[in-house]
Amino acid sequence: MSNATHSSTLAPWAEQDGQSRGRRYPEAPPQLRTEYQRDRDRIVHSNAFRRLVYKTQVFVNHEGDLYRTRLTHSMEVAQIARSIASVLRLNESLTEAICLAHDLGHTPFGHAGQDALNECMRPYGGFEHNLQSLRVVDELEERYAEFPGLNLSYECREGILKHCSATNARLLGDVGERFLQRRQPGLEAQLANLADEIAYNNHDVDDGLRSGLITVEQLRDVDLVREQLDYVQDRYPGLHHRRLVHETVRRMINRLVVDVVESTTARLAAVQPADSEAVRSHSEPLVAMSEPVFAQHLQLKAFLRDNLYKHYRVRRMTLKARGVVQALFNAFFNDTQLMPDEHRAAALTLEARSGPDGRARAVADYVAGMTDRYAILEHERMFIPGERS
Ligand code: MG
């Protein structure tokens, strides 16, 4: 882990320790850590972070113990991003904090849950998981005496809010501005975003193969995979399947990481941003893959979409997940007294403030916060006669 003395070695375009735009509620600086280390530590200690262990990435949590969950996904994102941040002399603690927090707002059941909740929320302002991650760290965590949420630094909040509609951006103040002014976030946020894509593409290949839903032979159609697979098979003929897969995937990750470092170094050398503000006003992101490698990355992404995420067994899981989320949302929205006391109280407060939109938001907060297994249990308690309530 980086430490407070690391800042002397940061590149000029990195987010500098001690120069944060600050927190929503002013606080005394930490004694032994940088502001961004404090952000990271608050995230690790949050309730929402612990829940990630029981939330789906692609495979529903109970399908098998070896599949990625949101927690291990977030850790892999952080690991990849930290490696790159360290080489590029970016702020490693800030990068790590953004990565660990980026999926805190995810619903149970991965994208299926997210799509279902978004449909339910369409008449009431919609549901965006990036925005929900920000809502978790700004409002929903209840841990500190003097402020709601985790009161993270501006730079960390900026990184968590990867995408946002213009309508929501207008309501958000400082972190919403860049979506209206078409500005970039800092390099650490750009890096976290790209590391997320690298992590899930590669671990979904691994999980997809483990599940048997996709095969090594199918993956030969994907350039990024085939290049590494050929190399490993030539060099280690007869290698056991499990080792073959890992050797291939680790080389794919390395290929992408090296490319991001080289391509980003070249861009930074060409643009020479004076500081992180110059990064933000640049016309496009500076952390990026080279064009040919990015094309390969997109090819793999398309392969996974067509062959894994649309596989009939994943679609069946998706159907069940959708049913659970919709049923819970509708029941709670129609009768908030079915929710546990604290969530019913939140619904009353938000409804008094903004009518049905507010009530729906409180229900969405409750449902989005559920782990896969809690959602399944709540669904049983609500709808299966004879189950404990
Ligand atoms: Mg992610």
Side-chain angles (χ1 to χ4, degrees), residues 98-221:
I98 296 168
C99 294
L100 294 179
H102 85 283
D103 273 348
L104 289 180
H106 247 290
T107 61
F109 313 122
H111 284 281
Q114 140 95 8
D115 292 348
L117 194 54
N118 191 21
E119 261 170 46
C120 297
M121 285 296 288
R122 200 157 283 148
Y124 312 108
F127 179 87
E128 298 173 26
H129 69 269
N130 282 301
L131 193 58
Q132 190 69 10
S133 294
L134 187 67
R135 189 166 161 73
V136 166
V137 301
D138 278 357
E139 306 283 346
L140 298 181
E141 281 288 323
E142 290 183 290
R143 306 182 67 75
Y144 298 92
E146 298 190 356
F147 45 79
L150 306 180
N151 199 31
L152 302 180
S153 68
Y154 168 85
E155 293 75 18
C156 192
R157 296 171 60 238
E158 172 196 49
I160 291 170
L161 193 65
K162 278 196 284 194
H163 310 285
C164 177
S165 66
T167 314
N168 284 323
R170 277 185 209 98
L171 303 172
L172 285 174
D174 57 3
V175 283
E177 281 165 16
R178 76 177 163 96
F179 299 97
L180 304 171
Q181 299 167 355
R182 300 187 178 282
R183 280 159 57 86
Q184 310 302 324
L187 293 173
E188 288 78 1
Q190 295 180 23
L191 174 54
N193 190 13
L194 203 54
D196 185 21
E197 298 222 349
I198 294 174
Y200 70 65
N201 254 359
N202 286 286
H203 65 49
D204 287 355
V205 167
D206 188 38
D207 281 353
L209 288 170
R210 176 171 289 112
S211 67
L213 300 190
I214 55 175
T215 64
V216 169
E217 279 317 302
Q218 275 179 301
L219 279 160
R220 287 199 160 275
D221 294 340

Side-chain angles (χ1 to χ4, degrees), residues 58-60 63-64 66-68 203-215 218 241 245 304 307-309 311 313-314 317:
V58 173
F59 296 89
V60 175
E63 301 227 336
L66 285 177
Y67 296 121
R68 268 68 177 188
H203 65 49
D204 287 355
V205 167
D206 188 38
D207 281 353
L209 288 170
R210 176 171 289 112
S211 67
L213 300 190
I214 55 175
T215 64
Q218 275 179 301
H241 177 78
V245 170
L304 289 169
N307 296 284
L308 182 60
Y309 313 143
H311 192 284
R313 277 175 50 203
V314 174
M317 244 157 42

Side-chain angles (χ1 to χ4, degrees), residues 56-357:
T56 296
Q57 186 64 24
V58 173
F59 296 89
V60 175
N61 194 247
H62 59 255
E63 301 227 336
D65 291 346
L66 285 177
Y67 296 121
R68 268 68 177 188
T69 66
R70 287 267 159 211
L71 182 68
T72 56
H73 161 70
S74 300
M75 292 171 76
E76 288 184 34
V77 175
Q79 177 273 313
I80 289 168
R82 284 179 57 197
S83 297
I84 300 173
S86 159
V87 184
L88 294 177
R89 292 191 298 131
L90 302 182
N91 198 309
E92 202 176 319
S93 302
L94 173 60
T95 306
E96 185 182 13
I98 296 168
C99 294
L100 294 179
H102 85 283
D103 273 348
L104 289 180
H106 247 290
T107 61
F109 313 122
H111 284 281
Q114 140 95 8
D115 292 348
L117 194 54
N118 191 21
E119 261 170 46
C120 297
M121 285 296 288
R122 200 157 283 148
Y124 312 108
F127 179 87
E128 298 173 26
H129 69 269
N130 282 301
L131 193 58
Q132 190 69 10
S133 294
L134 187 67
R135 189 166 161 73
V136 166
V137 301
D138 278 357
E139 306 283 346
L140 298 181
E141 281 288 323
E142 290 183 290
R143 306 182 67 75
Y144 298 92
E146 298 190 356
F147 45 79
L150 306 180
N151 199 31
L152 302 180
S153 68
Y154 168 85
E155 293 75 18
C156 192
R157 296 171 60 238
E158 172 196 49
I160 291 170
L161 193 65
K162 278 196 284 194
H163 310 285
C164 177
S165 66
T167 314
N168 284 323
R170 277 185 209 98
L171 303 172
L172 285 174
D174 57 3
V175 283
E177 281 165 16
R178 76 177 163 96
F179 299 97
L180 304 171
Q181 299 167 355
R182 300 187 178 282
R183 280 159 57 86
Q184 310 302 324
L187 293 173
E188 288 78 1
Q190 295 180 23
L191 174 54
N193 190 13
L194 203 54
D196 185 21
E197 298 222 349
I198 294 174
Y200 70 65
N201 254 359
N202 286 286
H203 65 49
D204 287 355
V205 167
D206 188 38
D207 281 353
L209 288 170
R210 176 171 289 112
S211 67
L213 300 190
I214 55 175
T215 64
V216 169
E217 279 317 302
Q218 275 179 301
L219 279 160
R220 287 199 160 275
D221 294 340
V222 182
D223 297 342
L224 184 66
V225 186
R226 191 184 52 249
E227 275 177 18
Q228 306 306 326
L229 198 56
D230 283 349
Y231 175 85
V232 176
Q233 284 181 323
D234 278 358
R235 186 156 173 200
Y236 307 102
L239 192 63
H240 184 278
H241 177 78
R242 191 177 295 163
R243 292 193 190 199
L244 173 71
V245 170
H246 183 67
E247 279 292 344
T248 303
V249 171
R250 80 168 178 110
R251 283 178 159 80
M252 285 161 52
I253 296 174
N254 192 58
R255 171 96 175 88
L256 295 168
V257 165
V258 169
D259 183 73
V260 169
V261 168
E262 288 174 355
S263 167
T264 303
T265 303
R267 283 166 178 244
L268 287 166
V271 175
Q272 292 281 337
D275 53 22
S276 64
E277 276 316 293
V279 166
R280 289 188 172 81
S281 29
H282 193 66
S283 55
E284 54 188 4
L286 290 164
V287 178
M289 295 176 198
S290 65
E291 274 181 34
V293 170
F294 187 59
Q296 289 190 344
H297 168 80
L298 292 182
Q299 189 195 22
L300 173 56
K301 202 167 166 170
F303 173 90
L304 289 169
R305 187 189 58 226
D306 295 342
N307 296 284
L308 182 60
Y309 313 143
K310 288 187 178 173
H311 192 284
Y312 80 90
R313 277 175 50 203
V314 174
R315 291 178 81 101
R316 287 179 183 185
M317 244 157 42
T318 303
L319 180 77
K320 278 190 275 189
R322 177 177 296 262
V324 170
V325 167
Q326 283 172 342
L328 290 177
F329 179 91
N330 290 333
F332 295 140
F333 181 74
N334 291 330
D335 182 0
T336 56
Q337 298 198 51
L338 291 169
M339 288 196 288
D341 292 346
E342 59 167 307
H343 296 285
R344 182 165 50 97
L348 286 173
T349 308
L350 293 184
E351 186 164 23
R353 202 183 297 161
S354 42
D357 286 9

